[in-house]
Amino acid sequence: MANPPPSPSLLHPSPGLAIFTTLRSDALLLTHPLNHFSPTPTSPPSPSPSQFYLLPHHRDRLLSAAHQFSFQHSITTLSDPSSLSILQSALSQHLLTTYASSTHPSPVRIRITVSSNGDLTLTSAPTPALPLSAFFPLSLSPSPDPATAAWRIRLSPIAVTPSPYTVHKTTSREMYDTARAHVLATAADVEVLVVNEQREVMEGSLTTPYFWRDGRWLTPRDGCGGNRGTTRRWALERGVAVEGVVRAEDVRVGEVVWLSNGVRGFGWGRVEEVVGKGSEERNCSK
């Protein structure tokens, strides 16, 4: 998909703005039969299989953001046919420096931050182990095993204005911090559904959501203004989900919603009722 020209207000983004993506490093991924990528016009060949989850999608996400914000040095680097190999080498070197092995087998979340002048910074931390089934799904169950629930889900009561800062992942994340604060989302297993001014669900503050509607999984369409995540791309390209509109008033307390991101893969939770900030909250399971 061609990148649109940046709007005039973004030709000179605020000083210090950076783009980033966060992925999972996990030797378990090497055992999955779908952990491979075929060359496409927009995705040159990548090291395959890779312990870095959906690495080509992360490269493409960074490149799209670089175009949007006119990060010219990054555009040049990320457009190069060797860019995936460069990223793979940088990630492996980070594992070697930080964990004493370039093939460190344990799960790690790694954040790749790219500055406006093309500087690459990697930071990481251990992340919990997850089953292999969380990563390259070809379908999602509408009635998953209750014992496998990974998230508690809340709906933000405030509207977020879509912008390039919501479509792309940048260090400007105040809108997500505010949405989480409004529903007291301080625990790592709580996700907040972010809505736009038309009361359409845009995305989650940390994830892409999927809603069971008319016998299929629906994820918010591009026009709703949410982030074009790496796992969202997997789900759409593999036919796991389709794009559509989910209105805030149609999100039901207790319904199963699947969520995905580049660190935790695919997991699910139930929507909780939140009376309001400062008020008593009631979990639908009580």
Side-chain angles (χ1 to χ4, degrees), residues 76-93:
T76 299
T77 300
L78 294 168
S79 298
D80 191 279
S82 65
S83 60
L84 283 171
S85 294
I86 291 172
L87 281 176
Q88 174 100 6
S89 296
L91 290 163
S92 297
Q93 182 60 46

Side-chain angles (χ1 to χ4, degrees), residues 55 89 97 116 158 169 192 203 206 216 221 225 229 257 286:
L55 179 58
S89 296
T97 301
S116 58
I158 61 172
K169 205 162 187 180
V192 179
E203 58 180 320
L206 305 171
R216 59 185 180 175
R221 62 182 176 86
V257 177
K286 292 182 180 179

Side-chain angles (χ1 to χ4, degrees), residues 33 45 62 72 96 114 124 159 175 199 207 256 274:
L62 289 170
Q72 294 300 330
L96 177 62
V114 182
S124 66
M175 69 291 282
R199 299 298 293 165
T207 65
V256 169
V274 179

Side-chain angles (χ1 to χ4, degrees), residues 111-123:
R111 174 164 157 162
I112 306 171
T113 304
V114 182
S115 69
S116 58
N117 62 8
D119 290 339
L120 191 74
T121 302
L122 302 182
T123 55

Side-chain angles (χ1 to χ4, degrees), residues 211-218 242 245 252:
F211 302 86
W212 187 247
R213 298 291 185 269
D214 299 322
R216 59 185 180 175
W217 289 103
L218 206 68
V242 297
V245 174
R252 305 180 304 277

Side-chain angles (χ1 to χ4, degrees), residues 12-37:
H12 301 288
S14 58
L17 180 77
I19 58 178
F20 76 94
T21 191
T22 307
L23 56 72
R24 183 183 192 89
S25 172
D26 191 340
L28 180 67
L29 299 174
L30 296 170
T31 66
H32 201 291
L34 295 180
N35 186 2
H36 60 82
F37 298 92

Side-chain angles (χ1 to χ4, degrees), residues 5-269:
S7 63
S9 63
L10 294 170
L11 290 175
H12 301 288
S14 58
L17 180 77
I19 58 178
F20 76 94
T21 191
T22 307
L23 56 72
R24 183 183 192 89
S25 172
D26 191 340
L28 180 67
L29 299 174
L30 296 170
T31 66
H32 201 291
L34 295 180
N35 186 2
H36 60 82
F37 298 92
S38 300
T40 71
T42 57
S43 296
S46 67
S48 179
S50 174
Q51 75 179 71
F52 304 113
Y53 183 44
L54 296 177
L55 179 58
H57 291 10
H58 288 277
R59 188 283 312 274
D60 291 350
R61 164 194 253 180
L62 289 170
L63 179 58
S64 179
H67 276 287
Q68 176 66 71
F69 296 103
S70 296
F71 285 10
Q72 294 300 330
H73 292 291
S74 301
I75 292 170
T76 299
T77 300
L78 294 168
S79 298
D80 191 279
S82 65
S83 60
L84 283 171
S85 294
I86 291 172
L87 281 176
Q88 174 100 6
S89 296
L91 290 163
S92 297
Q93 182 60 46
H94 176 79
L95 292 180
L96 177 62
T97 301
T98 310
Y99 303 99
S101 172
S102 62
T103 57
H104 179 64
S106 300
V108 174
R109 58 178 294 139
I110 304 177
R111 174 164 157 162
I112 306 171
T113 304
V114 182
S115 69
S116 58
N117 62 8
D119 290 339
L120 191 74
T121 302
L122 302 182
T123 55
S124 66
T127 194
L130 291 169
L132 194 58
S133 58
F135 299 105
F136 300 93
L138 297 179
S139 63
L140 303 174
S141 172
S143 302
D145 179 353
T148 63
W151 296 94
R152 293 179 290 145
I153 302 167
R154 301 174 184 174
L155 184 68
S156 174
I158 61 172
V160 169
T161 301
S163 74
Y165 299 99
T166 61
V167 172
H168 301 282
K169 205 162 187 180
T170 78
T171 51
S172 178
R173 294 187 59 81
E174 295 82 2
M175 69 291 282
Y176 302 110
D177 295 338
T178 300
R180 292 185 66 81
H182 266 75
V183 296
L184 309 177
T186 57
D189 68 338
V190 174
E191 177 57 306
V192 179
L193 301 176
V194 179
V195 299
N196 61 25
E197 291 150 330
Q198 286 70 49
R199 299 298 293 165
E200 300 166 337
V201 177
M202 296 169 57
E203 58 180 320
S205 64
L206 305 171
T207 65
T208 294
Y210 308 87
F211 302 86
W212 187 247
R213 298 291 185 269
D214 299 322
R216 59 185 180 175
W217 289 103
L218 206 68
T219 194
R221 62 182 176 86
D222 281 348
C224 294
N227 199 271
R228 298 168 186 168
T230 55
T231 49
R232 176 183 184 273
R233 176 178 167 185
W234 168 272
L236 291 173
E237 290 181 346
R238 295 287 177 151
V240 175
V242 297
E243 291 184 294
V245 174
V246 176
R247 300 197 58 79
E249 58 265 29
D250 296 330
V251 177
R252 305 180 304 277
V253 173
E255 76 168 293
V256 169
V257 177
W258 280 84
L259 303 170
S260 70
N261 67 24
V263 173
R264 295 178 62 166
F266 291 75
W268 71 277

